Amino acid sequence: MEKDGVEEAFDRFSNLPVPIIHRIMSFLPTTKDVTRVAVLSKTLNSVCHSYPILDFDQRSWKKIMGFDSFLDFMQKSLQHRRESNIDIEIFKLCVIDHDGKSDQRIDESIRFAIEHNVKELDLRFGDYWIRSRYKCYGQLYTLPKTITTKSIVVLNLVGLAFKFEDLIPSLNLVEHLSIELCSVSSNFTISSSKLKTLELQNCKGLKTIVVDAVNLQYFSHSTFTGSSEISLGDCKSLKYVKLDNTAITDDWLKNHLSKLLLLESLILKSCKILGEIDICHQKLKHLALLNCDKLVKAKIEAPNLVSFYFYNKSRFPVITLQCSSQIYADLILFGISPTNDEQFMNFKNFLGSFSHCKSLSLTLPDMELSLLEELRNALRSPLLSLKHLRVQLFSSSRSLPELLDILLCLSPYLETMCITSKYKENFEEVVFPLLFFCSFLGPSLIVLMYFSLVS
Amino acid sequence: MALELKSSDNKIFEVEELVAVQSETIKSLVEDGCADNVIPLPNVDSKTLELVLDWCKNHVDMKLDEEKLKEYEDKFIEVDQAVLYDLLLAANYLNIKDLLNRACQKVADMLKGKTPEQIRETLNIVNDFSPEEEEEIRKENLWAFEE
């Protein structure tokens, strides 16, 4: 815009209604951008003091100020706001360098948010990534006891220490609750008709979880120690359940599946007590059995199953899979080497469960390929109906023709095949359509195709 | 069914109801049965109203084609500041959420990553702090003045 005598530039921004300026600010990507608006002019300075979203993330300020200055800065920012007395919508605080001791500035800021009827409260203490990766809790910050609020709808707590008895009275309106890497009391019992998502990840001291939430749709639980009892039977609306290192039994699974009729996704990771499971469910769409090492038998009857993920290190369970032909299966087969006939049959039958799958993805170290080779030598190829195959290998000691040979004998009626290798020395990622009748032709065709791909 | 909308400069626009009810304001009028006559929109001039109605019509037409719609939206919002503010205020008055958000995002895009000086220049904001106040603000918010 030109600034000359006739066409005077006009500041329309500052004259926008305050809620619109706030809405514009909510689209700014960083806190720095948001706080820059406050230094532009007196008008905008006071508009910022009523901006209902507060995000104090120590990580953003680390390069500019130390831990102490950061807390002073936060305290001062809140002081400016006390006059305006506007409700806060979102309050986020992320502190990395604290030493576990209570700090008045931190406690004050949390109280401030609560006094101003905060709807979304997000408190994160400690370096999350290091703690998750190394499975340690480090210094935990004690949540001030005076959190009695009836306004919170979204609550995220990471790296805090508190007792559930002190927290639960404030959770009447909470719809999304996430508690991670906290030190808590042993019993978590909640009864709420508002709760929609619940995440309890790696909480120290948590032993029993009882949830009575008729509108709960999403539940995720993980622990470092693997010793929690969970009761979810009353949560009839559950659609997604993820359990990581949770000590659930075969009966628990059967029991809960019979009650959770709307369940669509079930992810069981490192559930080391499961031995023989029976999954019979009409609505289930996604199932993942990952690293459940004691699993011996799995009977899965799910006519609407669209995806199946399997990862096991120790043995091939006997899996009978009854599902739709639309299913996509992803199998990661690692470090297993059946050394006897029974195990070999097991493996053959296991692979055969997926012959009706629409598409199959196999991740194998080279050793597993020798198993597939064995299968090639078996009389009947197990994957007769398979149309789309994707194989990821971890070593490339086989050449492409050998590989194609093995895989085509395994599933002769493929339409597409995609082979990727972690080490792309011998061949590049290959995707090509295979015609139906090429399986009748010998290895010569495969060799030809290899050359044409390379050139 | 067609509705008649009158801009602040007394121009009449005839629009299909399906297009017009993208505006929650107009939608409530229709639902309350007050949309039989011409609907006056004293806060929106004809130039802006024409653009707004174009937005609404395309959102009805391209509802199922997300890619095409995004392309349209990106092109639509490439307007100069004056028009952008008019669109913003019209979208707010007519309560058209997606237009309001897109326009707000566009303004935010003009601000992000800029120093206060640069922002003032872009938006023609006058720095009305006294030298003492300026000093105070700078001290408190030193980081805001860095790149």
Side-chain angles (χ1 to χ4, degrees):
Chain A
M1 275 194 171
E2 309 253 0
K3 270 187 186 172
D4 52 39
V6 179
E7 209 186 277
E8 218 184 87
F10 190 42
D11 172 14
R12 288 187 68 181
F13 181 78
S14 304
N15 292 311
L16 290 170
V18 173
I20 293 194
I21 301 184
H22 285 167
R23 193 181 275 253
I24 293 172
M25 284 168 71
S26 72
F27 283 100
L28 289 170
T30 68
T31 318
K32 212 175 184 183
D33 288 315
V34 170
T35 29
R36 272 186 182 132
V37 180
V39 308
L40 295 173
S41 68
K42 280 188 190 166
T43 321
L44 290 176
N45 193 278
S46 73
V47 168
C48 283
H49 286 160
S50 60
Y51 184 56
I53 299 175
L54 292 170
D55 189 344
F56 296 106
D57 190 336
Q58 200 207 328
R59 295 168 298 187
S60 312
W61 304 119
K62 243 183 131 102
K63 288 184 194 155
I64 306 157
M65 52 172 105
F67 175 61
D68 220 30
S69 323
F70 168 71
L71 291 183
D72 282 336
F73 160 69
M74 175 173 74
Q75 193 180 40
K76 217 158 192 179
S77 308
L78 295 179
Q79 258 162 18
H80 283 306
R81 290 182 159 260
R82 284 186 195 278
E83 299 109 43
S84 51
N85 207 32
I86 304 260
D87 276 357
I88 307 255
E89 265 181 45
I90 301 177
F91 182 79
K92 291 189 185 178
L93 175 60
C94 178
V95 174
I96 305 192
D97 292 329
H98 75 102
D99 53 5
K101 295 202 201 92
S102 282
D103 191 301
Q104 192 216 4
R105 293 165 291 186
I106 296 178
D107 290 352
E108 238 175 51
S109 72
I110 299 174
R111 267 184 223 117
F112 177 88
I114 289 170
E115 278 162 20
H116 288 77
N117 301 316
V118 66
K119 292 212 183 80
E120 185 176 325
L121 185 61
D122 195 306
L123 305 173
R124 292 165 198 259
F125 287 80
D127 195 320
Y128 172 80
W129 298 110
I130 292 183
R131 289 174 184 195
S132 304
R133 183 135 176 16
Y134 297 103
K135 300 196 176 62
C136 60
Y137 292 98
Q139 296 285 4
L140 295 166
Y141 191 83
T142 311
L143 193 64
K145 280 214 177 100
T146 55
I147 285 200
T148 43
T149 160
K150 306 284 182 193
S151 63
I152 296 185
V153 175
V154 176
L155 182 59
N156 295 321
L157 303 173
V158 179
L160 289 158
F162 57 90
K163 290 203 173 69
F164 280 120
E165 299 88 75
D166 295 332
L167 187 68
I168 289 186
S170 312
L171 302 180
N172 292 10
L173 293 179
V174 168
E175 290 176 23
H176 305 276
L177 178 60
S178 168
I179 302 175
E180 207 168 341
L181 292 167
C182 292
S183 169
V184 298
S185 42
S186 58
N187 191 327
F188 178 74
T189 306
I190 190 166
S191 177
S192 159
S193 58
K194 299 263 183 208
L195 200 58
K196 290 199 186 122
T197 72
L198 176 59
E199 284 188 71
L200 298 166
Q201 316 276 33
N202 304 321
C203 287
K204 188 177 178 183
L206 187 56
K207 296 263 162 45
T208 348
I209 301 170
V210 177
V211 185
D212 174 12
V214 70
N215 288 311
L216 189 67
Q217 290 193 7
Y218 178 108
F219 178 79
S220 175
H221 173 261
S222 63
T223 117
F224 293 150
T225 57
S227 59
S228 303
E229 274 174 44
I230 308 186
S231 168
L232 296 170
D234 291 319
C235 304
K236 308 253 179 253
S237 305
L238 267 176
K239 281 198 180 150
Y240 177 105
V241 171
K242 179 175 176 187
L243 302 171
D244 186 340
N245 200 13
T246 310
I248 52 166
T249 62
D250 302 335
D251 281 332
W252 185 98
L253 189 60
K254 187 161 189 177
N255 211 321
H256 273 78
L257 282 174
S258 67
K259 289 187 197 157
L260 304 177
L261 299 171
L262 296 178
L263 197 63
E264 284 179 12
S265 300
L266 179 62
I267 300 173
L268 302 172
K269 187 176 168 197
S270 303
C271 295
K272 309 244 178 199
I273 297 190
L274 294 176
E276 288 191 24
I277 58 177
D278 189 344
I279 297 178
C280 178
H281 201 282
Q282 289 304 306
K283 287 223 155 61
L284 200 62
K285 285 196 189 139
H286 309 280
L287 177 61
L289 296 172
L290 309 168
N291 205 18
C292 298
D293 277 349
K294 295 278 187 316
L295 201 59
V296 169
K297 195 172 171 189
K299 182 172 171 215
I300 302 162
E301 215 176 294
N304 282 309
L305 203 64
V306 159
S307 73
F308 178 70
Y309 288 81
F310 181 82
Y311 164 52
N312 218 353
K313 281 194 288 204
S314 59
R315 75 179 90 187
F316 293 117
V318 177
I319 297 190
T320 22
L321 188 68
Q322 271 180 330
C323 55
S324 72
S325 58
Q326 295 307 303
I327 193 173
Y328 168 82
D330 193 326
L331 314 174
I332 303 179
L333 310 170
F334 248 105
I336 319 151
S337 62
T339 45
N340 60 41
D341 284 335
E342 194 201 329
Q343 290 229 22
F344 180 68
M345 271 320 282
N346 251 0
F347 176 57
K348 182 169 170 226
N349 291 332
F350 171 70
L351 216 56
S353 308
F354 303 106
S355 73
H356 295 294
C357 286
K358 191 176 179 194
S359 66
L360 177 64
S361 169
L362 290 173
T363 304
L364 314 157
D366 196 51
M367 185 145 47
E368 267 36 79
L369 228 69
S370 57
L371 281 170
L372 294 177
E373 234 176 346
E374 296 270 328
L375 282 171
R376 177 187 55 174
N377 300 332
L379 289 166
R380 214 163 45 98
S381 31
L383 301 173
L384 286 171
S385 311
L386 196 61
K387 296 266 177 284
H388 309 281
L389 178 65
R390 183 185 190 97
V391 177
Q392 188 187 49
L393 304 168
F394 280 81
S395 80
S396 56
S397 65
R398 303 300 178 109
S399 65
L400 188 56
E402 276 186 293
L403 205 52
L404 287 177
D405 196 35
I406 298 171
L407 293 171
L408 277 174
C409 282
L410 204 60
S411 41
Y413 304 118
L414 281 183
E415 279 170 27
T416 68
M417 186 192 314
C418 173
I419 305 175
T420 60
S421 167
K422 277 262 172 178
Y423 308 99
K424 291 185 181 180
E425 292 147 14
N426 285 7
F427 50 86
E428 303 272 290
E429 181 167 321
V430 159
V431 182
F432 54 89
L434 293 172
L435 299 172
F436 173 76
F437 52 79
C438 88
S439 60
F440 291 115
L441 302 165
S444 53
L445 178 68
I446 295 171
V447 171
L448 269 171
M449 287 177 114
Y450 171 66
F451 282 132
S452 68
L453 290 161
V454 167
S455 62
Chain B
M1 224 215 101
L3 296 176
E4 283 182 321
L5 308 172
K6 187 164 85 168
S7 66
S8 58
D9 43 349
N10 291 322
K11 194 163 169 200
I12 307 263
F13 290 83
E14 201 177 288
V15 258
E16 268 180 54
E17 188 180 306
L18 200 61
V19 171
V21 294
Q22 304 266 311
S23 149
E24 291 287 332
T25 313
I26 297 183
K27 190 173 179 199
S28 345
L29 287 175
V30 171
E31 285 170 355
D32 291 343
C34 307
D36 294 333
N37 302 320
V38 178
I39 302 173
L41 302 172
N43 290 6
V44 190
D45 65 33
S46 56
K47 197 175 100 180
T48 313
L49 188 54
E50 198 174 327
L51 286 171
V52 170
L53 292 175
D54 190 66
W55 171 280
C56 294
K57 183 160 196 307
N58 277 287
H59 272 73
V60 170
D61 291 342
M62 296 186 211
K63 202 168 173 180
L64 298 170
D65 196 334
E66 253 186 64
E67 224 181 276
K68 210 171 166 194
L69 194 56
K70 183 163 190 314
E71 221 182 289
Y72 167 78
E73 285 187 6
D74 289 342
K75 218 164 154 188
F76 179 91
I77 211 74
E78 283 301 320
V79 288
D80 63 40
Q81 268 193 57
V83 179
L84 186 58
Y85 289 123
D86 287 335
L87 283 173
L88 239 178
L89 292 166
N92 186 46
Y93 172 67
L94 292 169
N95 201 345
I96 305 172
K97 200 154 175 230
D98 48 28
L99 178 56
L100 181 60
N101 282 335
R102 194 67 187 88
C104 285
Q105 168 135 57
K106 184 78 175 121
V107 179
D109 289 345
M110 292 191 319
L111 305 180
K112 70 182 179 190
K114 293 202 166 100
T115 65
E117 255 324 303
Q118 290 168 336
I119 299 176
R120 283 197 198 105
E121 212 182 294
T122 312
L123 301 181
N124 307 302
I125 295 174
V126 173
N127 183 357
D128 56 356
F129 289 117
S130 71
E132 299 84 38
E133 289 166 335
E134 174 90 36
E135 186 59 42
E136 180 71 37
I137 294 274
R138 257 186 200 270
K139 243 186 4 191
E140 269 180 21
N141 304 293
L142 195 60
W143 37 267
F145 291 88
E146 292 178 16
E147 290 291 322

